[in-house]
Amino acid sequence: MKAFIDLDGPRFGCAAGEAKELVILLHGLGADGSDLIALAPLFARVLPDAAFVSPHAPFPCDMAPVGRQWFSFQNRDPEAVLAGVRAAAAHLDAFIDAELERFGLGDGRLALVGFSQGSMMALHVALRRARACAVVIAYSGAVVGSAVLPQEIQSRPPVLLVHGDADEIMPFQSMAEAEQALVGNDVPVQTSARPGLGHGIDEAGIQLGCAALKDHLAAGVEAP
């Protein structure tokens, strides 16, 4: 029996052997990789030499007849959510390692971009990898397990948090709580509150993501 679920999903951009950067896009609850791959052509404007991949989460969504999930949200007790994130993190870590090997790149040439549940996964995994990725961009997400983060953190990549102040799904306060947890663990963080935005990504958020990718990952930029 295999230890990890083989993840895959839609791809965009450069092929193996050609890519200078790798951007992994992590979708939210009830969606699949086809959702966030739509960001790839927009981000490719500043990363023309990048490969983009948006893996389908490992499990069928248990709150809808279609879509995927990284972990169940039916029980929102913090301990249950943390257990779910940890279980999914093992599969995501294995996928990241395989993709970096596929493209012949190191963590310093990797960006993790997430939305909602995908942001929670991106933040959890990035801070616990032995080597820091270039940047984490988390839209409408949260830091899960902030109480145990000081004991578990292994790397401190720069993080961009973007969140709509009218978010009806993931409370806007989650951004301030995430910022507090990250700053408290010496993680460099930038935040942007998007006025009037619900649970989604607006054009300004995309532009902020492009700027972060260009600053931290574009070819010729020294990886941290």
Side-chain angles (χ1 to χ4, degrees):
M1 181 176 178
K2 297 183 68 171
F4 302 113
I5 297 172
D6 286 331
L7 305 182
D8 203 359
R11 297 174 180 271
F12 180 89
C14 294
E18 300 174 357
K20 297 178 181 177
E21 306 97 18
L22 174 63
V23 180
I24 296 179
L25 305 155
L26 305 175
H27 66 80
L29 176 68
D32 62 23
S34 301
D35 184 30
L36 282 200
I37 199 65
L39 294 176
L42 306 176
F43 289 153
R45 295 179 299 193
V46 297
L47 291 180
D49 298 317
F52 298 83
V53 58
S54 185
H56 306 304
F59 308 111
C61 182
D62 60 8
M63 298 176 68
V66 296
R68 310 291 295 178
Q69 67 184 27
W70 296 96
F71 55 91
S72 177
F73 243 167
Q74 293 209 44
N75 181 355
R76 303 207 176 191
D77 177 81
E79 289 300 317
V81 173
L82 179 57
V85 170
R86 282 177 167 158
H91 305 296
L92 180 55
D93 252 326
F95 174 77
I96 292 171
D97 289 340
E99 289 297 299
L100 289 173
E101 183 177 0
R102 175 201 294 263
F103 289 98
L105 299 171
D107 285 74
R109 308 310 302 162
L110 166 71
L112 296 180
V113 180
F115 173 71
S116 192
Q117 198 178 79
S119 287
M120 299 161 82
M121 294 302 307
L123 290 165
H124 183 90
V125 168
L127 299 176
R128 289 163 176 81
R129 286 181 66 83
R131 293 170 296 280
C133 65
V135 65
V136 178
I137 301 172
Y139 295 103
S140 302
V143 170
V144 176
S146 57
V148 299
L149 184 56
Q151 291 78 48
E152 297 181 358
I153 190 167
Q154 295 193 58
S155 61
R156 293 170 171 82
V159 173
L160 169 64
L161 303 174
V162 183
H163 209 128
D165 67 5
D167 195 327
E168 70 283 7
I169 302 297
M170 187 68 66
F172 175 60
Q173 181 63 25
S174 299
M175 185 174 74
E177 294 169 354
E179 180 183 20
Q180 182 179 17
L182 295 170
V183 170
N185 285 277
D186 300 318
V187 177
V189 59
Q190 175 188 355
T191 65
S192 178
R194 302 302 313 132
L197 179 65
H199 195 61
I201 304 172
D202 62 3
E203 179 61 30
I206 292 170
Q207 293 303 319
L208 288 164
C210 285
L213 291 171
K214 183 177 180 180
D215 288 346
H216 296 290
L217 194 59
V221 175
E222 185 68 22

